Amino acid sequence: MARKIVIIGGVATGPKAAARARRLDPEAEITLVEQGSFLSYAGCGMPYYIAGVVKEMEELMCTPAGVVRDAAYFKGIKGINVLTRTRALSIDRQAKEVRVMNLETGEVKTLPYDKLILATGSTPVRPPIPGLDLGRVYTLGNLEEAAAIRDALASGRVEKVVIIGGGLIGLEVADALKTAAQTYGREFKITLMEALPQLVSAQLDADMAALLAKHLRTQGVDLRLSCKVLRLEGDEEGKVKAVITEEDMVPTDMVIVATGVRPNTALAQVAGLRLGTSGGIIVNEYLETDDPDILAGGDCVENIHVLNGKPIYLPLGSTANRHGRVLGANVTGGREKFPGVLGTAIFKAFDYNVGRTGFSEKEARASGYKVETIICPNPDRAHYYPGSKPIIIKMVADKATRKLLGVQIVGPGEVAKRVDVAATAITLGATIDQVANLDLAYAPPYSTALDPLTHAANALRNKLDGLAQSLNPLEVKERLERGEDLLLLDVRTPAEVEEIRLPYPQVRHIPLGKLRQEAASLPRDRDIIAFCKISLRGYEAELILKSLGFTRVFFMEGGLAAWPFEVVKGK
Amino acid sequence: MARKIVIIGGVATGPKAAARARRLDPEAEITLVEQGSFLSYAGCGMPYYIAGVVKEMEELMCTPAGVVRDAAYFKGIKGINVLTRTRALSIDRQAKEVRVMNLETGEVKTLPYDKLILATGSTPVRPPIPGLDLGRVYTLGNLEEAAAIRDALASGRVEKVVIIGGGLIGLEVADALKTAAQTYGREFKITLMEALPQLVSAQLDADMAALLAKHLRTQGVDLRLSCKVLRLEGDEEGKVKAVITEEDMVPTDMVIVATGVRPNTALAQVAGLRLGTSGGIIVNEYLETDDPDILAGGDCVENIHVLNGKPIYLPLGSTANRHGRVLGANVTGGREKFPGVLGTAIFKAFDYNVGRTGFSEKEARASGYKVETIICPNPDRAHYYPGSKPIIIKMVADKATRKLLGVQIVGPGEVAKRVDVAATAITLGATIDQVANLDLAYAPPYSTALDPLTHAANALRNKLDGLAQSLNPLEVKERLERGEDLLLLDVRTPAEVEEIRLPYPQVRHIPLGKLRQEAASLPRDRDIIAFCKISLRGYEAELILKSLGFTRVFFMEGGLAAWPFEVVKGK
């Protein structure tokens, strides 16, 4: 008899699992249940739809060939039954049935299953802030809401927007609003409020997040870190008119709440399936729940981190798709494993690319590693090639094994490639020595002769091998603030110094070319921290001074390029 | 006593080795000998200088901070002695001395060494074609020649250019001439002659090279494959005016010969150092020649291929730089290993990006592997995101171990990232199953939810697991030409078919959505080869027909996107 497969959830994981199951079992009866109206849409595309970069909502629901993936498509092409506007009410695990209700007609029926897949997704968190039910207050939970935001922007009645939440989605929305200026013919005034003292704390360490924050501010975003929102206030029409924080009142025409998502687990919970500490449904490496006939994937489950084997809630579109393929195999007699996640992520923020994979320094330390890190800026391609732009890499390695643990990259240059190479290297257990020796593709339009990732790995090797002593900008800043008696040695050319410099009396300027001659005038009883634009010359300066017998010499990682604090510009 | 290090060759490997040696040994006496006038320049940048994309030759000799790396720079900043316009005449291995001659003054002297590095580079091959000594016939061996080409282009007297050699450099030059139209305000008529029946045979298999050839022809290049050049003919001023091939006479105003390079090994050979079968100097994994006090790297040595451990001559700028770092360590008491090369390469060709790494199918078979391959097109980022462009991936895996052996990618979309991920995966011994499960960075501006490389790996897994049967376009074409009784099943929409179609009577059109109903009319005693635009629907069609009991069904890999032969456009 044909195998009966029921799949609850029709956005990403569900349709992918259904399609894969169909390929592997032409006979199976496959039923896909979705409570919304839309199927198989690109949720990650919503910010670009809001921005108007994606013109029509249908584009998010089409195959690359331009065919809309609706119920008729799934039935006609794939032989998959789809019930939209249908909610799963409960699971009878004994009888192996799901009770579902048609939300249009109210009709209730039961669907028998041999294998059930839960792909129920996630819902935006609504933080306990009074006023969230006012008009023009949105989350970005589904296409309907994306459409409402777009309508509101197009109405001409929105000028000021407050985004609550400086995580990945909050930043994607901020970026979308910036881009939206072209679509709607007006600039939007963006205020971004984040409760923590840094942006995207799940993705970046404080030092890298500070670079991103600095960039957003130069782009006109009113960025408020460590900002506690007390409540929203509405006008007489019931539309939001202000956000009240602990500090002040911020007038606004729209609020977008992006304070994370939580897994939709009610159905699983009522059915007695186990949830993890992260809140997601627990699945094993075959994506089976504790009932082997019920599998789950996508935003409703918790994942296992590849590096430490620990559970982590990390809902991402890419993971949802990879889950779908494994689920499709394992409900049709297969035994595929899902190897876990690395926390790889990337987003665009005002012409900066921001990416990361593996452990941040913070995560690595929390996991018990003794780590060494480096911050290393580099042009993304041959510096003489037009369009070459900088990127700043932070690399984290395990001191004991020299294994690469994580990478964070920020900058206007090409970031995605280096993140993906690092993700591959980390997954396969590479040391930074192996990363440094990768035979990566070089031609001037694509890279530097030694790729920036290779450069970073080499710089980190130098640190691990005791060939270089360095401090990152945050450490330097902290030591300055503690009033330590440092000497900051700026080894750039006079012309560079005239353009931009650090605003501290501890700074001494000696161009690198004169350092050997003038070194005698430098103190041997104070820490000297050498820097330049990116600290390649800073490192050279350290080596020159060490060769002259200085011992208390460091270079400042990343130089001015990675300095996220104030500078003085011009003479 | 200070260690004496002499380095012969000042372009890429030499300066890199010198700088690294200096960092590791502040006391060493380091002398760099270069016969040309220029030091430490980006040879790989020469095509972009010719194109005028790089404006000034100095840019190729500057640090990212804009400082020219001349003798004064090396002396002042690095404490390295540089002798330019100085040729190494011979090595006395007993006395450990190099005899050098100043090419300006004729003065000869000897430089004693403890460790000697040969970084003598390579020279363009001059094929035995009569007429190569005519005016306006160039190779691209050094900056002086690049400047001469640029002057000739700027003179306004060059309109037609023949490039002899369809390898990597030949294509970079062709691309430069295309770009040069903007710089010089005129289009150049480009003829590209290649003796072999395909382009870039060292990099691509015939099927992928055919896609590149097709693209060049659409861009107006007069591409002649299997073309034998007999001689060049000059005008009364001694300037080249025509290239005579076995077929015809091609009038021209300039000829650029790009038929490969050979390693400069005369000095090594006379000193009795061993050369390999590839012609390069043999070095071990520490880059030592058979004299342990003489090391060598860059374009003058042969490398070891990571995959089969066999020697290969593969001169590349990236390798030269990686060699330099290892050399610098190993002449200062270090013991670093160079792990070999993968043959990773990338180039730009008329807005196509072309990259490869590892073994091509041809190389893998020659190395004794039983391979499975797939050709898989995909948009480079979310298909609804503006600027999304296609790429076509060919992936090669070892049937026995399922290890990834190689990747070739061609197309207008983002190629470098996928090549670098593949290079990393191959180096670290990944199977295609591991590649399929990599947690790569996804957001719509950067990738598809499952990266194209993941898609290709999954398609290849389907083939290896017997879930898919497919033929690549070359195989289909060959079977058609042999007159086999095939049925080509086009499952695209009628609108797509009206735009473009295959010009064969064997083609039958049934849109995928109607296939289940109309399948009964298809023959069961002939091979059916289903295809669409990229053959995702072609694969669906195969599965539908198989579920209906058809056995002789295949899909055509890559669909029309990867079809390098003639098509019919319009009604």
Side-chain angles (χ1 to χ4, degrees), chain A residues 218-238:
Chain A
T218 66
Q219 297 294 304
V221 175
D222 179 4
L223 175 60
R224 292 151 181 245
L225 299 173
S226 305
C227 172
K228 181 122 198 273
V229 175
L230 298 180
R231 63 178 193 281
L232 310 187
E233 270 183 12
D235 62 14
E236 58 285 354
E237 289 178 38

Side-chain angles (χ1 to χ4, degrees), chain B residues 344-396:
Chain B
T344 311
I346 191 162
F347 60 92
K348 205 162 76 65
F350 297 79
D351 301 322
Y352 261 37
N353 302 300
V354 184
R356 59 93 67 211
T357 186
F359 281 150
S360 62
E361 178 178 356
K362 195 169 49 186
E363 288 174 312
R365 292 192 191 279
S367 262
Y369 289 95
K370 288 201 164 51
V371 302
E372 191 60 90
T373 69
I374 190 91
I375 291 178
C376 187
N378 209 67
D380 67 344
R381 68 200 78 181
H383 62 84
Y384 54 79
Y385 194 84
S388 170
K389 291 181 197 139
I391 58 175
I392 299 175
I393 300 178
K394 176 170 182 173
M395 188 175 270
V396 181

Side-chain angles (χ1 to χ4, degrees), chain A residues 427-440:
Chain A
T427 300
L428 298 165
T431 62
I432 54 166
D433 309 286
Q434 287 177 305
V435 172
N437 274 311
L438 289 171
D439 188 0
L440 301 176

Side-chain angles (χ1 to χ4, degrees), chain A residues 129-137 230-244 249-255:
Chain A
I129 301 172
L132 286 194
D133 48 354
L134 286 165
R136 295 219 189 99
V137 178
L230 298 180
R231 63 178 193 281
L232 310 187
E233 270 183 12
D235 62 14
E236 58 285 354
E237 289 178 38
K239 294 201 169 66
V240 69
K241 71 168 188 187
V243 178
I244 317 297
M249 191 197 78
V250 181
T252 191
D253 307 311
M254 179 190 272
V255 170

Side-chain angles (χ1 to χ4, degrees), chain B residues 78 115 187-188 240 276 302 367 385 389 405 431 486 488:
Chain B
K78 314 247 182 198
K115 293 282 180 186
E187 298 278 339
F188 299 99
V240 68
E302 68 179 17
S367 262
Y385 194 84
K389 291 181 197 139
L405 294 178
T431 62
L486 309 171
L488 294 172

